[in-house]
Amino acid sequence: MYKVVIVLSIFFLGCFTSFSQNSPANYSFEIKGSVTGKENRAPISGVRVTTSSGGYTVTNGLGEFKIKAFIGDQLRFESTEFQTVYHRIQGDDDVDVLVQDYVQEVKSNTDIEAQSTIRSISFTDSASYYKKINIDKSIDFVTKAISEIGPRGDKKALAKAYTTLGEIYQYYKQYDLAIDALTAALAAEKSTKTELLLATNYLLQQEFLNAENSYTKVLKKKGISNVEKIQAYEGLGDAFQGLKRNKSAIENYTKGLDLAKTSGISSKITDLNSKIGDALVADDNIEKAQVYYGNSLQLSKQQTPQRAVQEKEKVADFYNQQNQFDKEVVLRKKSLEDLKALQQPTARVVKNGPVGINSDSISSQRIKYKIGNAYLLQQKYDEAIPFLEESIKEANDDDDLIVQKDATRKLSEVFEYKGDFSKAYETYQKYVALVDTLYIRKEQEISRAARFNREITTKQNRISGLEKERELYQSKFDLALTSEQLVERQKWFIYSLVFGIVLLGLTTYFFYRSNRQQKLANNLLALKSLRSQMNPHFIFNALNSVNNYIAKSDERSANRYLSEFSTLMRAVLENSEEDFIPLSKEIELIELYTKLEHSRFADKFEYTISVEEHIDVEAYDIPPMLLQPYIENAIWHGLRYKDEKGFLKIDLKAKAKDVIEISIIDNGVGRKKSAALKTTHQKMQKSKGMGNIKKRIDILNDMYKDTVDVFITDLYEDGTGTKVIFILKKR
């Protein structure tokens, strides 16, 4: 055990007493200091510094630290290098800790690795602390933790770092990155906790088959706790519900419920009763579902107020779906009372939604909107009005545009049903203005999300690079160890010659592999960037179509278009991360997209999509969203400007063995006239969009050996019409 001596550098300057008397006990200030060895003043990094009021930090490479503290706080310095040290804060002077007999030099590789492991664990702890506070700091600490682990580093420390990284990505809803990190953690060391986290992220990513397999593996393990078994049964039920296998979901939820009752875990008893109710509703067993919802409602009263509100609102939604509006209103009014009891400035509770679906939080304005809607459905207009008006006011105060928009639209409907058309029109105008504001905000959110994803990708690339370096160092270390064993058995000259040749070959190989991996990484990053540019462009054009219906007050068409558009977007987003998808999926996508565009421009064109019968579309792969931009150009820049109704033909036919030809033909105004009709902005946008497609094709052909060729010509000699030919080869 090291002896410890603390030397405190405190300067009084004749005014310390007055400062202590005048400073309130609850005034926080920043304390700076350092931790060094007494003998040689060597700085000690990775020391955990905490305060009795909850502050936390670690010393940097120079042994320095900064931390917020109060007068009277107790500082605690912890490290494996010395016995834990305490210091009471009496002022805002610097605190310097000198550790007696601390020796910076280490005597063996084992000591070096031990020090690296200690620092890595310290960095990982810091990452956990900052997880919900600052994602940049949190990921930076994980990066430092991984970089500290050498070629023979502690696998447990490495697994802990990657597990923490997975938790960070899960918190910020980057589930695909969380899956990669947790997979890396399991490769370093197996852990039931990490396996459950991985399965949970498969659920959140809606990869239900992978989730099912992961939870099943956990249940097959021996020696897991009852809590872990309950989590696995619940997760397995969620996976089966995602797969629409409701009976299997009920079976696993019931197993988890029985075990929770045996173990006395009350929170899980409530949750699993509620989830069994969900599965029974999905299985059309409404009467039995009501029994389980009744159980969950009763049990939630014994849980926290927040949990009770969650369950009331969930069951109220069920009553709404069953047209039991009186019961719905009673439950929601109780929820309002519970929210008031929470005594928060803005009462808000996180909603327990289905796995993988982003659910809105439960707020006072949202509950009042739903009560007003329930009264409206019962034609109790006078009762509906005050709830809707209060909902609008509270939503405005809370800057909740979604609820404000929905409540305003319902209030307009109430006034219309009551015959007060002037108020109905006035309220509807407010609704239209809110829709415009919400549209602008959604565009901003899309832009922020894209920027956030780019920043996350940059940090993840840094972590991936560190892991590759670590693997390379591991290989070099193993090679050096092998060479040392050979020296003992062979003559040095012969061994030196052989070792030199081997080392040269390995160096060449690693250099070649590194170059290939770097080129592949660059190509993948470029593809991801191009896809991220195409998706917002595609979404923006589709939302313009919705906005057009809204501007015409054609709500029914807007709703129908949005429903079909959401189906299309789901398919686009599912395929957006892939370099290639089955041709059958791309055909489904363009069929849906062309149908949507035809619904807007039915008077401008007719279309046909034909596939030769003997073509096996499942055997071919194609880059996602490759055909859609050309179809979009044909409609928007060719057929839309045509005076009479035109036609659009999309044909797939065999050209040779393992080669098919895809043609997109329109008899529109042609490329030359279309270019003359465009504004400068439109010309720039088209050029950019077509340029992105060309870059994608060039990169993919470079990576996969000339899989796709594209040719564009005029359809007729007078320059009208356009013919786009894709030559697609089987990979």
Side-chain angles (χ1 to χ4, degrees):
M1 187 73 67
Y2 291 105
K3 296 181 180 179
V4 180
V5 176
I6 304 177
V7 178
L8 307 175
S9 302
I10 304 175
F11 300 93
F12 292 90
L13 301 176
C15 60
F16 175 76
T17 303
S18 62
F19 173 81
S20 300
Q21 292 172 346
N22 295 331
S23 297
N26 63 351
Y27 172 77
S28 68
F29 49 89
E30 187 174 72
I31 290 288
K32 295 187 292 184
S34 64
V35 182
T36 56
K38 182 180 179 182
E39 299 296 330
N40 54 9
R41 302 293 294 185
I44 308 175
S45 63
V47 177
R48 293 182 288 281
V49 185
T50 57
T51 67
S52 53
S53 58
Y56 177 87
T57 188
V58 293
T59 57
N60 61 20
L62 299 176
E64 300 169 342
F65 69 90
K66 295 178 182 179
I67 193 168
K68 289 281 187 180
F70 297 85
I71 289 178
D73 260 351
Q74 187 179 62
L75 284 180
R76 179 187 177 106
F77 300 87
E78 294 179 282
S79 173
T80 57
E81 301 302 324
F82 52 81
Q83 186 178 9
T84 300
V85 176
Y86 299 90
H87 169 64
R88 183 72 63 182
I89 298 294
Q90 297 179 345
D92 61 351
D93 300 286
D94 292 352
V95 176
D96 294 330
V97 179
L98 298 184
V99 181
Q100 188 173 14
D101 296 331
Y102 174 77
V103 181
Q104 188 180 27
E105 295 81 8
V106 291
K107 299 179 179 179
S108 68
N109 289 334
T110 302
D111 293 332
I112 295 173
E113 290 166 4
Q115 297 300 322
S116 296
T117 299
I118 291 167
R119 287 192 293 271
S120 175
I121 293 172
S122 176
F123 286 135
T124 301
D125 290 341
S126 299
S128 296
Y129 175 79
Y130 283 106
K131 179 175 71 176
K132 298 181 181 179
I133 303 172
N134 187 318
I135 185 174
D136 290 332
K137 280 189 176 181
S138 191
I139 295 180
D140 285 343
F141 275 119
V142 171
T143 305
K144 291 176 181 178
I146 295 173
S147 65
E148 280 290 343
I149 300 173
R152 292 282 183 179
D154 191 320
K155 296 296 184 182
K156 184 175 290 188
L158 183 63
K160 182 178 180 181
Y162 273 116
T163 299
T164 301
L165 182 62
E167 291 172 337
I168 295 167
Y169 283 141
Q170 178 180 335
Y171 182 79
Y172 290 96
K173 300 181 180 179
Q174 304 293 312
Y175 305 125
D176 55 336
L177 295 177
I179 289 169
D180 291 341
L182 294 168
T183 302
L186 289 173
E189 184 185 55
K190 299 296 181 184
S191 162
T192 303
K193 174 192 171 183
T194 306
E195 288 172 344
L196 286 169
L197 275 172
L198 177 61
T200 299
N201 279 276
Y202 278 134
L203 278 180
L204 294 169
Q205 187 74 354
Q206 297 191 26
E207 296 183 19
F208 298 119
L209 285 174
N210 286 333
E212 177 194 349
N213 292 333
S214 297
Y215 282 123
T216 302
K217 286 179 182 177
V218 171
L219 287 170
K220 288 179 179 179
K221 293 180 68 174
K222 295 181 179 179
I224 64 173
S225 68
N226 284 343
V227 172
E228 290 168 335
K229 285 182 181 178
I230 293 169
Q231 288 178 329
Y233 279 128
E234 182 181 8
L236 198 53
D238 292 339
F240 282 128
Q241 198 165 356
L243 293 167
K244 310 300 182 187
R245 294 165 60 183
N246 301 314
K247 287 183 171 53
S248 295
I250 294 168
E251 179 184 345
N252 281 279
Y253 286 146
T254 303
K255 289 179 180 178
L257 178 59
D258 293 340
L259 190 55
K261 289 177 179 178
T262 303
S263 306
I265 305 175
S266 58
S267 61
K268 283 301 173 186
I269 296 173
T270 305
D271 294 343
L272 289 163
N273 268 284
S274 183
K275 288 193 174 184
I276 291 173
D278 295 341
L280 288 167
V281 169
D283 206 37
D284 292 328
N285 195 340
I286 305 302
E287 184 176 348
K288 197 171 181 181
Q290 286 182 310
V291 175
Y292 280 94
Y293 281 141
N295 293 341
S296 64
L297 269 178
Q298 192 64 31
L299 290 164
S300 67
K301 294 177 182 178
Q302 304 168 17
Q303 307 299 316
T304 63
Q306 290 89 341
R307 182 66 185 91
V309 171
Q310 290 171 351
E311 199 58 30
K312 285 186 182 72
E313 283 304 290
K314 181 178 182 180
V315 178
D317 289 340
F318 165 74
Y319 285 143
N320 176 273
Q321 294 166 6
Q322 303 304 315
N323 297 327
Q324 299 180 34
F325 302 117
D326 289 335
K327 290 183 178 181
E328 176 192 359
V329 169
V330 170
L331 268 185
R332 295 201 195 280
K333 287 182 177 179
K334 288 181 180 178
S335 293
L336 285 176
E337 294 174 2
D338 291 345
L339 280 180
K340 289 179 182 177
L342 292 176
Q343 296 180 343
Q344 297 176 356
T346 302
R348 188 178 293 274
V349 172
V350 176
K351 182 177 179 182
N352 281 343
V355 170
I357 299 176
N358 293 329
S359 304
D360 295 318
S361 59
I362 299 170
S363 60
S364 175
Q365 62 261 27
R366 185 171 294 277
I367 295 174
K368 288 178 179 178
Y369 159 69
K370 290 185 176 182
I371 292 174
N373 183 57
Y375 278 133
L376 170 60
L377 293 171
Q378 297 177 85
Q379 299 181 1
K380 296 179 179 180
Y381 305 128
D382 292 331
E383 288 90 336
I385 290 173
F387 281 99
L388 291 172
E389 288 178 339
E390 288 179 28
S391 174
I392 293 168
K393 181 181 180 303
E394 290 181 11
N396 181 58
D397 294 341
D398 199 23
D399 196 27
D400 188 345
L401 276 179
I402 298 291
V403 173
Q404 191 178 359
K405 170 186 71 70
D406 293 342
T408 302
R409 180 170 61 84
K410 289 296 180 183
L411 186 60
S412 174
E413 292 178 10
V414 171
F415 285 136
E416 183 181 355
Y417 292 142
K418 284 175 63 68
D420 193 342
F421 297 109
S422 61
K423 280 190 176 180
Y425 177 74
E426 180 184 349
T427 308
Y428 186 77
Q429 290 295 101
K430 293 178 182 177
Y431 162 72
V432 172
L434 287 168
V435 169
D436 291 339
T437 304
L438 185 61
Y439 175 74
I440 293 170
R441 184 169 294 184
K442 287 296 182 185
E443 283 188 322
Q444 293 170 345
E445 288 176 0
I446 291 172
S447 176
R448 283 196 297 270
R451 185 167 58 253
F452 177 76
N453 285 336
R454 286 196 298 271
E455 292 171 356
I456 289 292
T457 300
T458 300
K459 291 183 179 295
Q460 179 61 27
N461 287 341
R462 168 63 179 150
I463 292 173
S464 299
L466 283 173
E467 179 59 20
K468 285 183 173 59
E469 288 177 10
R470 199 187 70 80
E471 291 174 356
L472 182 60
Y473 291 148
Q474 176 74 52
S475 299
K476 289 182 177 179
F477 187 89
D478 292 341
L479 181 62
L481 185 62
T482 302
S483 67
E484 184 178 337
Q485 293 170 347
L486 289 174
V487 166
E488 296 175 358
R489 297 191 300 265
Q490 297 181 8
K491 292 181 180 180
W492 123 180
F493 177 79
I494 297 174
Y495 167 73
S496 297
L497 181 61
V498 173
F499 177 73
I501 294 172
V502 172
L503 184 61
L504 179 62
L506 284 173
T507 302
T508 304
Y509 169 72
F510 284 128
F511 180 80
Y512 171 75
R513 190 178 70 171
S514 177
N515 281 347
R516 284 192 61 190
Q517 290 175 339
Q518 186 62 47
K519 182 178 179 182
L520 178 60
N522 290 340
N523 283 339
L524 292 174
L525 191 60
L527 283 174
K528 192 166 188 178
S529 174
L530 293 171
R531 287 196 297 261
S532 68
Q533 293 176 42
M534 290 183 66
N535 288 341
H537 169 74
F538 170 69
I539 295 169
F540 180 81
N541 284 347
L543 288 178
N544 272 340
S545 299
V546 178
N547 193 45
N548 182 58
Y549 285 126
I550 294 174
K552 294 178 180 178
S553 300
D554 189 359
E555 185 175 351
R556 179 175 297 177
S557 296
N559 287 336
R560 186 183 68 252
Y561 190 96
L562 273 174
S563 176
E564 294 177 341
F565 171 62
S566 67
T567 302
L568 177 61
M569 281 309 303
R570 187 178 300 111
V572 171
L573 293 175
E574 286 176 353
N575 300 332
S576 63
E577 292 300 318
E578 303 294 333
D579 293 339
F580 285 87
I581 62 171
L583 179 58
S584 58
K585 285 191 176 182
E586 182 74 358
I587 294 172
E588 291 174 4
L589 188 147
I590 64 173
E591 284 177 341
L592 184 53
Y593 172 77
T594 309
K595 178 183 176 184
L596 283 173
E597 292 295 68
H598 185 258
S599 69
R600 281 202 60 194
F601 304 110
D603 58 333
K604 286 294 184 181
F605 74 99
E606 295 294 339
Y607 72 95
T608 60
I609 301 175
S610 63
V611 182
E612 280 188 359
E613 290 183 359
H614 64 277
I615 294 179
D616 182 9
V617 293
E618 292 293 339
Y620 289 85
D621 293 331
I622 189 170
M625 290 288 287
L626 184 66
L627 304 180
Q628 179 274 333
Y630 290 96
I631 299 172
E632 179 181 340
N633 277 347
I635 297 170
W636 281 76
H637 304 301
L639 297 168
R640 191 163 63 101
Y641 293 120
K642 192 175 177 65
D643 293 331
E644 66 276 13
K645 181 179 283 191
F647 68 83
L648 173 66
K649 293 174 59 180
I650 303 170
D651 295 328
L652 286 82
K653 59 184 180 181
K655 184 174 179 67
K657 183 181 179 182
D658 296 335
V659 179
I660 61 172
E661 179 185 282
I662 305 171
S663 60
I664 301 171
I665 302 171
D666 72 87
N667 66 340
V669 297
R671 292 178 293 170
K672 185 175 181 181
K673 185 173 180 181
S674 173
L677 292 171
K678 290 178 188 171
T679 64
T680 303
H681 176 69
Q682 288 173 325
K683 291 177 182 178
M684 185 173 66
Q685 288 297 104
K686 181 194 173 189
S687 175
K688 187 176 179 181
M690 292 297 100
N692 282 350
I693 295 172
K694 186 177 184 303
K695 289 176 184 176
R696 283 184 68 200
I697 292 173
D698 290 341
I699 292 173
L700 290 169
N701 281 340
D702 181 55
M703 293 170 64
Y704 299 105
K705 307 302 181 186
D706 298 322
T707 303
V708 183
D709 287 320
V710 183
F711 306 94
I712 305 175
T713 59
D714 294 334
L715 183 61
Y716 301 111
E717 292 183 357
D718 61 0
T720 61
T722 305
K723 184 175 184 179
V724 181
I725 300 296
F726 290 83
I727 304 300
L728 182 65
K729 301 174 184 176
K730 188 179 292 186
R731 289 202 300 148

